[in-house]
């Protein structure tokens, strides 16, 4: 756990849960596993408040607890990897919208916001939200939302919550937690019929319904009590990895090649382990039959494309045999390593220029070179090459290795070799990316705080306008309310929103780099 990771985790917790959760979450990240008494002693926070914060962290899956038996204290430990995933929440939601429409988007959004929910409650909440945005007289059926929920489970984007050691849900009548991998994706028989309801305007009616549900909980049973669902982040990450590979093939070769690789990845989605270095072997005949009908690719043309992919230096596809017209695999780990290398080279080029990037690329491929060899191979003048090498050395992007000819380490009898190791460099630049995202979030929070009064005024006026439009107000009334914001204030608001949008966009772009580097480091660890 590095300082930059702790800082970024703290900012993400503050932005999504508030300063109190940030304080306790950061304390757990720095201190490791602790019991309740130690947390109370070291933080000085009230007992009830600490319990509530721990409930929030556990509910959202960013804190785990270890119940070590009767009479022994329960230890709590924050998970930095789960906290860092908060940065990627918009990407998860957008992916669900792309694949499964508005219904899938809202299902993922609800589960991300609440941590874990039952299927019946998720279906009702999403149906109500969709109905709220429909025209009068139209309602969203529960069956449609249930169908989208089942599709997300079938494709493993949703899974059951894992078993909790030594604890269970209060309303669980029977052990409902999954025991095997197959049980994680088994949808229970849920009896839920009806349509989404619009939000009632009368608060008294809402209170009456809430009290009735509280007094008589058996009225609202659907057969899935105690079965809780959560978002399967790893499945989303596999989808992002596949999309990165397909995009790289399209950029390096062409759209047809990317479609062939997409087909191979889709065919081996279920059969390939998440940690496998390559997909299961697929024959050319199978690939040809599985290609979309819109791509009119003849069999000889397919063979040519597969040969092109195998021979490409990026090693997108590998040959695994000759049966069935040839057996082929997608080299997942090799492609991730090449994508990480391209990312490192791009970072060096943006920061230090194209000549420094040429030297960096040369050291990545040749591994060990003397300064004179760097000058010759990179075709860079001696003085410039020396300055660039020292600049890269000062930034820890390259290393200097001394190989003495004699035991006395005399400089005149020592080889000085420049080298570059991709994995440590990727780890270092990943920490720089964490620092960059933290700086962007702090800047965005500062900008919002500086214009807090103006933003609150704008929100109040927007609420008034929405209320007037719903009640059928005259255009003159709407214009009068809109004029409550002066021209300079409107200009300041537009400038602020533009600036915040740029910061959000920069966060997303840095997160793309973070994902590539994290995937490469993780793949190297499991190789």
């Amino acid at each position: 756990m590095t300082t930059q990771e702790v800082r970024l985790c703290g900012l993400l917790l503050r932005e999504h849960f508030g300063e109190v959760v940030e304080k306790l979450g950061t304390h757990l990240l720095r201190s490791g596993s602790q019991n309740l008494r130690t947390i109370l002693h070291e933080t000085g926070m009230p007992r009830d408040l600490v319990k509530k914060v721990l409930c929030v962290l556990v509910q959202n899956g960013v804190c785990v607890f270890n119940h070590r038996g009767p009479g022994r204290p329960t230890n709590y430990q924050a998970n930095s990897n789960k906290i860092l995933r908060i940065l990627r929440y918009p990407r998860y939601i957008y992916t669900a919208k792309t694949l499964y429409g508005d219904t899938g988007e809202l299902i993922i959004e609800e589960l991300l916001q609440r941590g874990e929910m039952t299927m019946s409650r998720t279906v009702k909440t999403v149906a109500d939200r969709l109905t709220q945005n429909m025209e009068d007289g139209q309602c969203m059926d529960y069956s449609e939302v249930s169908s989208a929920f089942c599709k997300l489970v079938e494709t493993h984007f949703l899974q059951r919550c894992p078993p909790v050691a030594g604890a269970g849900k209060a309303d669980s009548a029977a052990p409902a937690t999954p025991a095997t991998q197959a049980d994680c994706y088994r949808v229970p028989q849920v009896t839920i019929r009806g349509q989404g309801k619009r939000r009632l305007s009368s608060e008294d009616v809402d209170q009456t319904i809430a009290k009735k549900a509280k007094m008589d909980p058996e009225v609202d049973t659907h057969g899935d009590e105690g079965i809780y669902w959560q978002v399967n982040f790893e499945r989303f990450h596999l989808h992002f990895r596949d999309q990165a590979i397909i995009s790289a093939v399209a950029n390096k070769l062409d759209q047809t090649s990317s479609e062939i690789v997409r087909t191979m990845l889709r065919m081996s989605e279920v059969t390939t382990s998440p940690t496998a270095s390559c997909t299961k072997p697929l024959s050319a005949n199978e690939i040809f039959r599985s290609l979309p009908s819109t791509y009119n690719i003849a069999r000889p043309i397919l063979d040519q494309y597969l040969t092109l992919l195998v021979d490409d230096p990026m090693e997108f596809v590998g040959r695994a045999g000759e049966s069935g017209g040839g057996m082929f695999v997608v080299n997942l780990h090799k492609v991730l390593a090449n994508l990480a290398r391209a990312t490192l080279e791009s970072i060096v080029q943006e920061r230090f220029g194209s000549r420094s990037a040429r030297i960096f690329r040369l050291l990545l491929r040749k591994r060990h070179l003397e300064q004179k060899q760097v000058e010759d191979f990179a075709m860079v003048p001696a003085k410039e090459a020396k300055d660039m090498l020292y600049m890269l050395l000062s930034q820890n992007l390259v290393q200097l290795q001394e190989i003495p000819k004699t035991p006395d380490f005399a400089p005149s009898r020592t080889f000085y070799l420049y080298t570059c190791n991709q994995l440590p460099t990727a780890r270092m630049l990943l920490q720089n990316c964490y620092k960059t995202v933290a700086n962007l979030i702090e800047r965005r929070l500062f900008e919002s705080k500086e214009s807090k009064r103006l933003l609150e005024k704008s929100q109040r006026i927007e609420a008034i306008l929405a209320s007037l439009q719903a009640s059928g107000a005259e255009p003159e009334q709407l214009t009068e309310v809109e004029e409550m914001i002066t021209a300079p204030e409107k200009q300041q608001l537009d400038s602020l929103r533009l600036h915040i949008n740029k910061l959000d966009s920069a966060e997303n772009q840095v997160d793309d780099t973070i994902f590539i580097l994290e995937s490469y480091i993780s793949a190297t660890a499991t190789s």
Side-chain angles (χ1 to χ4, degrees):
M1 176 60 62
T2 63
T3 307
Q4 296 303 333
E5 285 180 89
V6 173
R7 178 182 168 223
L8 178 55
C9 288
L11 286 167
L12 291 170
L13 289 174
R14 185 204 304 176
E15 193 173 15
H16 284 78
F17 304 109
E19 293 182 0
V20 178
V21 177
E22 176 203 5
K23 180 181 177 182
L24 183 56
T26 306
H27 171 76
L28 286 174
L29 287 171
R30 291 197 176 108
S31 306
S33 179
Q34 287 190 334
N35 58 43
L36 183 59
R37 179 178 293 181
T38 308
I39 294 171
L40 292 170
H41 174 71
E42 294 188 1
T43 59
M45 296 168 65
R47 186 184 188 89
D48 290 343
L49 185 59
V50 169
K51 285 185 175 181
K52 289 178 181 177
V53 172
L54 286 173
C55 284
V56 170
L57 294 173
V58 171
Q59 173 79 13
N60 286 274
V62 297
C63 178
V64 293
F65 62 90
N66 178 22
H67 187 64
R68 298 182 293 173
R72 303 185 69 184
T74 300
N75 283 356
Y76 298 89
Q77 184 172 8
N79 188 329
S80 61
N81 291 330
K82 295 283 184 71
I83 298 172
L84 290 172
R85 286 173 183 166
I86 296 174
L87 182 65
R88 218 162 278 155
Y89 278 9
R91 197 172 174 187
Y92 299 141
I93 295 169
Y94 178 74
T95 301
K97 181 181 177 69
T98 305
L99 296 175
Y100 299 102
D102 293 340
T103 309
E105 173 193 10
L106 291 182
I107 290 172
I108 296 297
E109 184 181 335
E110 284 293 326
L111 286 168
L112 288 175
Q113 285 182 348
R114 299 173 187 263
E116 55 185 49
M117 292 174 71
T118 61
M119 178 178 174
S120 55
R121 187 180 173 193
T122 307
V123 168
K124 283 187 173 182
T125 306
V126 171
D128 291 348
R129 287 184 61 182
L130 288 168
T131 301
Q132 194 69 29
N133 294 325
M134 287 181 171
E135 297 178 359
D136 292 339
Q138 293 183 346
C139 295
M140 173 61 69
D141 287 335
Y142 289 156
S143 59
E144 291 185 40
V145 183
S146 297
S147 176
F149 192 99
C150 291
K151 287 178 182 176
L152 285 164
V153 175
E154 286 170 11
T155 49
H156 295 186
F157 286 107
L158 295 181
Q159 64 180 7
R160 289 196 191 188
C161 294
V164 179
K169 299 291 177 186
D171 58 350
S172 178
T177 49
T180 64
Q181 185 69 16
D183 289 338
C184 289
Y185 308 106
R186 183 166 51 82
V187 181
Q189 294 293 330
V190 179
T191 55
I192 177 168
R193 299 181 182 87
Q195 295 178 327
K197 300 176 180 62
R198 296 184 184 275
R199 194 175 302 157
L200 299 175
S201 57
S202 172
E203 294 182 4
D204 295 333
V205 176
D206 289 341
Q207 291 174 2
T208 304
I209 295 172
K211 286 179 182 177
K212 186 177 179 181
K214 190 175 183 181
M215 290 171 62
D216 190 12
E218 297 300 323
V219 172
D220 199 23
T221 57
H222 302 284
D224 67 338
E225 288 70 32
I227 302 175
Y228 289 80
W229 296 87
Q230 64 184 5
V231 175
N232 185 3
F233 297 107
E234 300 309 317
R235 177 66 182 85
F236 274 100
H237 291 169
L238 293 179
H239 178 76
F240 297 157
R241 180 201 66 189
D242 291 350
Q243 293 302 310
I245 293 172
I246 292 164
S247 177
V249 175
N251 292 334
K252 184 75 165 39
L253 300 174
D254 62 2
Q255 195 64 37
T256 306
S257 302
S258 70
E259 194 60 40
I260 293 170
V261 173
R262 185 199 302 275
T263 302
M264 294 176 68
L265 290 170
R266 190 179 68 247
M267 291 170 66
S268 55
E269 250 178 358
V270 182
T271 57
T272 304
S273 167
T275 57
S277 61
C278 58
T279 60
K280 294 290 183 182
L282 299 168
S283 70
N285 295 332
E286 291 175 318
I287 298 169
F288 180 71
R289 286 194 299 267
S290 301
L291 281 171
S293 57
T294 53
Y295 276 80
N296 297 320
I297 303 176
R299 179 56 196 274
I301 302 297
L302 174 64
D303 291 338
Q304 291 177 13
Y305 270 108
L306 288 171
T307 304
L308 180 67
L309 287 163
V310 169
D311 294 339
D312 190 89
M314 289 283 280
E315 299 180 272
F316 295 112
V317 174
R319 188 180 289 273
E322 300 300 330
S323 59
M327 303 293 288
F328 299 91
V329 296
V330 179
N331 295 318
L332 302 173
H333 285 191
K334 283 185 179 179
V335 176
L336 286 174
N338 285 323
L339 288 176
R341 172 176 290 191
T343 301
L344 300 183
E345 292 171 2
S346 174
I347 291 172
V348 173
Q349 180 162 341
E350 290 297 322
R351 288 185 63 186
F352 305 108
S354 58
R355 288 193 171 185
S356 296
R358 190 192 308 167
I359 292 173
F360 182 77
R361 191 180 300 115
L362 182 66
L363 289 172
L364 274 175
R365 289 176 182 167
K366 299 288 186 180
R367 299 304 298 270
H368 295 87
L369 291 174
E370 289 183 292
Q371 183 174 321
K372 183 68 171 65
Q373 291 175 307
V374 171
E375 297 165 9
D376 295 340
F377 286 137
M379 294 182 288
V380 177
K383 186 177 182 305
E384 287 186 29
K386 183 179 179 181
D387 292 342
M388 290 171 186
L389 281 169
Y390 287 169
M391 176 64 73
L392 294 173
L393 190 63
S394 67
Q395 297 293 322
N396 292 323
L397 292 166
V398 301
Q399 293 79 39
L400 186 62
Q401 188 172 353
E402 300 178 3
I403 302 178
K405 295 180 186 177
T406 56
D408 59 357
F409 281 84
S412 60
R413 293 185 292 275
T414 302
F415 291 111
Y416 293 94
L417 301 179
Y418 288 93
T419 182
C420 182
N421 196 333
Q422 184 171 326
L423 185 58
T425 306
R427 287 198 179 104
M428 183 197 69
L429 290 175
L430 179 61
Q431 297 302 318
N432 289 349
C433 289
Y434 288 148
K435 181 179 179 180
T436 302
V437 174
N439 289 343
L440 289 168
I441 293 175
E442 280 194 339
R443 183 65 192 178
R444 180 159 47 77
L445 293 173
F446 174 78
E447 294 281 349
S448 301
K449 187 177 179 182
E450 286 290 299
S451 305
K452 184 179 178 181
R453 184 197 61 80
L454 187 58
L455 287 169
E456 288 176 351
K457 181 180 177 181
S458 172
Q459 288 170 358
R460 284 197 304 270
I461 291 172
E462 286 176 0
I464 294 170
L465 283 170
S467 176
L468 288 173
Q469 286 172 349
S471 61
E474 296 293 329
E476 292 79 9
Q477 289 178 293
L478 298 176
T479 306
E480 187 177 345
V481 172
E482 287 173 354
E483 289 174 352
M484 291 171 65
I485 293 185
T486 62
E489 286 178 334
K490 193 171 183 181
Q491 187 177 0
Q492 187 180 347
L493 267 174
D494 292 340
S495 176
L496 174 66
R497 284 168 180 158
L498 179 64
H499 197 188
I500 288 178
N501 287 340
K502 285 183 179 178
L503 292 172
D504 285 335
S505 177
E507 280 180 44
N508 293 331
Q509 290 173 358
V510 177
D511 182 56
D512 289 341
T513 304
I514 289 174
F515 177 74
I516 293 293
L517 295 178
E518 282 181 344
S519 300
Y520 163 64
I521 292 168
S522 175
T524 307
T526 56
S527 294

